[in-house]
Each structure stands twice: as C-alpha cells, then as structure tokens.
Amino acid sequence: MSEEETRKATTNAVNYQDFRDDRVYSYMDELTVGRQVTIQINLCAVYPGNFYLPPVWCEAMYDHLIRANTEGNHVIVE
C-alpha cells in the first residue's frame, strides 16, 4: 500500500486531512445533530512496548462549546 493510499480518509465526510508526525487534523463540513462520522487512519508502530493512546477530540472551528471526545486506552505493541 502506497503512502498516498494510507493517508486517505475512509469516509467521504472529510474534506481535507493534514498529517503531522504526531497527529492528524481532519477537516469536514458542518455536522448535523445526531450524525456520527467514523474516521479510520492506518498507523505504523515503530517500537514494541506498552503505550497510552490519548483521547481523540474534536471541536467546531468557531464555536468551542461544540465538541466531542473519546476515552484514552492502553495499547500493547508486540
């Protein structure tokens, strides 16, 4: 799989993605109340060990009262 294929959102809801070394910013149009969007990103583990995967969070660009987040998880890379 090429780098371009791995750096591609698996949903049509995303208009643009900005890939950084330690994060991915996903930009999309306004979501309506009750709509859910799942974004799947392929990651490559470099070192084995026990790690903490921090929470994922999102917020509206101009209204910081509109936001959502997930819980963080512990992961094991073998």
Side-chain angles (χ1 to χ4, degrees):
M1 183 178 283
S2 72
E3 182 176 350
E4 184 176 316
E5 290 172 331
T6 24
R7 292 188 166 201
K8 189 181 205 181
T10 58
T11 177
N12 292 332
V14 175
N15 297 84
Y16 174 75
Q17 284 187 308
D18 183 9
F19 287 84
R20 304 295 175 102
D21 288 339
D22 61 342
R23 67 195 72 201
V24 178
Y25 294 107
S26 299
Y27 299 90
M28 61 193 78
D29 291 331
E30 184 177 330
L31 296 175
T32 57
V33 174
R35 182 172 176 211
Q36 181 176 337
V37 173
T38 301
I39 300 171
Q40 183 177 347
I41 300 170
N42 294 323
L43 303 175
C44 178
V46 179
Y47 298 104
N50 297 323
F51 300 96
Y52 179 72
L53 183 64
V56 175
W57 61 272
C58 64
E59 66 183 16
M61 186 175 286
Y62 300 110
D63 187 351
H64 300 292
L65 297 176
I66 301 172
R67 60 183 181 261
N69 64 293
T70 64
E71 293 183 6
N73 292 307
H74 291 277
V75 294
I76 298 172
V77 177
E78 297 178 343

